[in-house]
Amino acid sequence: MQPKVSLEGVIEADAIAADTVCRIDDAVTITTETLATVLEGKTVQVRPVIDMPRLPDEDQYRPSLAMRRALRTRWRYEAFPFSTTLAKDCQSDHVKRYAWNGKLLQTGLKKMIPLSSRVHRVKTACFWLVVMQPERAHPIWTSPLGYEYLVTPYGTEPVIPPRHYRRLEKQRRERLALAS
């Protein structure tokens, strides 16, 4: 009898194409073609775990098990700039404070992020401020010094304020003039 192996693969909903990428939990990211080659000739049982785009928002403060699993699947790491803490070791946190006044559908994938208890305390004390980017549901963190960082499931990017664009463009032109 062969041993059973559990494999959790994540295929992003917007990545349905011939060269789709599959992320295997805590291991590696490979193409779905490579995954098919690796699993060829083996008995495979495929079970869809969570249909994240269709997961409905919830009316409760504590997210359901399906919501927590979806959150940890979407975010491999904590949703804080440059964090290396695994999402599975974090708690689910509402970006916008949960209103206890009976407001409906406050708990959802686009309204929550995984945070460690330390970062949660820093956020709650307002040392770091966070807002959700509306169109992609990625948090934008503002540091105590005023620097902004966009955090995505794929990494952290600094956000350059519009007032710096002209200065950066001028510096780029000066560098190009010196190089030529």
Side-chain angles (χ1 to χ4, degrees):
M1 183 173 177
Q2 291 188 350
K4 290 185 180 183
V5 177
S6 175
L7 176 81
E8 185 173 308
V10 177
I11 300 175
E12 300 291 338
D14 57 352
I16 304 301
D19 57 351
T20 303
V21 173
C22 178
R23 187 180 78 224
I24 299 173
D25 189 39
D26 294 335
V28 68
T29 301
I30 61 174
T31 64
T32 50
E33 290 175 8
T34 305
L35 180 63
T37 304
V38 170
L39 298 176
E40 188 175 343
K42 300 186 176 57
T43 304
V44 177
Q45 182 181 14
V46 177
R47 286 180 280 166
V49 180
I50 302 165
D51 187 2
M52 287 195 276
R54 291 185 183 88
L55 190 65
D57 290 352
E58 300 172 351
D59 291 333
Q60 56 204 25
Y61 174 72
R62 293 185 189 273
S64 65
L65 179 61
M67 182 72 65
R68 287 194 308 269
R69 286 190 73 190
L71 190 65
R72 283 167 178 79
T73 300
R74 180 173 189 231
W75 294 92
R76 187 172 187 181
Y77 296 101
E78 174 181 37
F80 186 73
F82 307 106
S83 179
T84 57
T85 304
L86 292 173
K88 67 181 182 179
D89 299 330
C90 295
Q91 52 190 311
S92 304
D93 183 55
H94 291 85
V95 173
K96 190 176 177 184
R97 181 175 287 186
Y98 187 87
W100 292 97
N101 60 2
K103 197 173 173 185
L104 301 177
L105 302 176
Q106 295 181 67
T107 301
L109 281 180
K110 294 184 176 184
K111 301 169 185 172
M112 300 186 75
I113 54 176
L115 293 180
S116 64
S117 56
R118 181 177 185 168
V119 172
H120 182 268
R121 286 192 301 268
V122 166
K123 175 188 154 264
T124 303
C126 295
F127 291 121
W128 281 75
L129 304 175
V130 62
V131 295
M132 274 304 219
Q133 183 188 40
E135 61 275 1
R136 298 284 297 172
H138 296 149
I140 298 176
W141 289 88
T142 304
S143 76
L145 297 175
Y147 295 103
E148 291 185 335
Y149 300 95
L150 171 67
V151 181
T152 70
Y154 311 105
T156 302
E157 302 171 19
V159 177
I160 301 172
R163 66 180 181 273
H164 292 297
Y165 288 144
R166 276 186 239 129
R167 183 171 39 135
L168 292 173
E169 182 59 28
K170 181 181 174 187
Q171 290 172 353
R172 187 182 71 77
R173 278 195 221 125
E174 289 171 356
R175 275 186 263 133
L176 287 173
L178 289 173
S180 57

